[in-house]
Structure formats: C-alpha cells, structure tokens
Amino acid sequence: MAQAQQETGTMTKPGTARSHPYVGMWVTEDGRIRHELLANGRYVEARGNREAAYQGAYTITGDHIDYVDDTGFTADGDFIDGVLYHGGMVLYRRP
C-alpha cells in the first residue's frame, strides 16, 4: 500500500516539473474530448476541433484530480482502474 501511495503521490504545485503516472493524454471513447495532463501541473482540454478549448492547472491527490481552469472554473474527477471519470465523462489513457 505504501508503494502505491508513493507511486501516485500528490501533485500540489502547478508549474513544477514533476513526473506522475497520470501525466499524458486522456480521451473519450469517441475522441471528441481530450485532456492532456502536462508534467508541470497544467492541462489543456480539447473539444472536437477546438484544440485548446479550456486550459488551467490541476492537482492530483492519490487517485483524485482537481481542475481549476484559467477563468477560475473548478471541476474534479477520479482515476479508477486506469480510467478517468470526470464531469459525467469517461476518458481513457492514450498511449
């Protein structure tokens, strides 16, 4: 258990270049919504043809993610068995 907690860790400071197992691209099954979680604690959400529809910072604690976009809007989600559940959406890791 301690090893699993250590591997997922906590990302608390946007702007810090810290690798995390959840960093990378997460995509809905139809490919319409794409979340790119960057190693520096920032994210870019693409919707359809809009490649940067939303941008902001994120914090990961264990298997929970909190988003704050650049306008101040907040949202959250959870990683369960390698799948990201966020705002009624289901996103899968894209290799």
Side-chain angles (χ1 to χ4, degrees), residues 7-83:
E7 287 174 6
T8 54
T10 302
M11 192 173 249
T12 56
K13 281 188 165 184
T16 60
R18 183 172 167 196
S19 184
H20 189 280
Y22 295 140
V23 166
M25 184 66 73
W26 295 84
V27 182
T28 56
E29 192 169 38
D30 63 5
R32 187 177 175 292
I33 309 294
R34 299 170 304 282
H35 286 196
E36 184 174 9
L37 303 180
L38 304 171
N40 65 358
R42 300 277 301 163
Y43 75 92
V44 178
E45 179 177 322
R47 289 184 173 244
N49 293 330
R50 292 182 60 203
E51 288 301 320
Y54 301 98
Q55 298 180 59
Y58 70 90
T59 302
I60 295 174
T61 305
D63 293 322
H64 183 81
I65 185 167
D66 289 296
Y67 297 90
V68 180
D69 81 10
D70 290 342
T71 68
F73 178 80
T74 61
D76 66 350
D78 293 291
F79 297 92
I80 302 170
D81 296 328
V83 177

